Amino acid sequence: MKFLRPAAACALACLPIGVMHASPAGAQEQMAVGASDQDHALLERVEHHLDAISLLKARFRQTAPDGKQTTGTAWIDRANRRMRFEYDPPSPLLLVANHDQVVFNDSQLDQTTTMPMDKTPLGLLLRPHLQLSGDVTVTGLSRDGNALNITVVRTDSPGDGSLTLLFHDSPLLLRGWIIQDAQQETTRVDLLDIHTGGAMPPDSLFNTDLPEH
């Protein structure tokens, strides 16, 4: 890309799908073969939970690789494959996903960047039905008390990086995600004050016709 983009936005729009680091293909296969029936049942439970989320609104806290934190409000409309991440002032960032595209605007740099949705982590998060198999490979599954983390990579390009979905368990609730690129640069997004369902926000909220410069 020609534009320089802050790490806060790259966490959502610019990094390839991935998790902690590139995992050897053999390790991925070993996990897939050795996964227990309990793990398979848990992954199905996660799929059903995500399927049930058609509309989500939350506050978010984003932690960049350098430790800098930004906050804002997120709208995730999985039924229509669209999203808006509106960063709190004084951040100049705005990210909108719609029409199979992700549009990132930095008003301070006076720049707008557009990329295909399926080339970003949002492509997975916004799938109306996310299957943790096929073109997505689960490379990690961990529990720590009431925390459940599931790491996935693109099956055909695991070296690109990874995406770790963060859940509360009992009851199951998506609470954020961690993205780590091939250089092991890690960015975390925590969802706070989560509300699901409710009235559909206006279509204008997901307008991708942002200023081009």
Side-chain angles (χ1 to χ4, degrees), residues 48-65:
H48 292 156
H49 170 69
L50 293 175
D51 285 350
I53 300 175
S54 60
L55 183 64
L56 180 150
K57 180 181 178 181
R59 293 287 296 168
F60 69 85
R61 180 178 62 245
Q62 187 165 293
T63 306

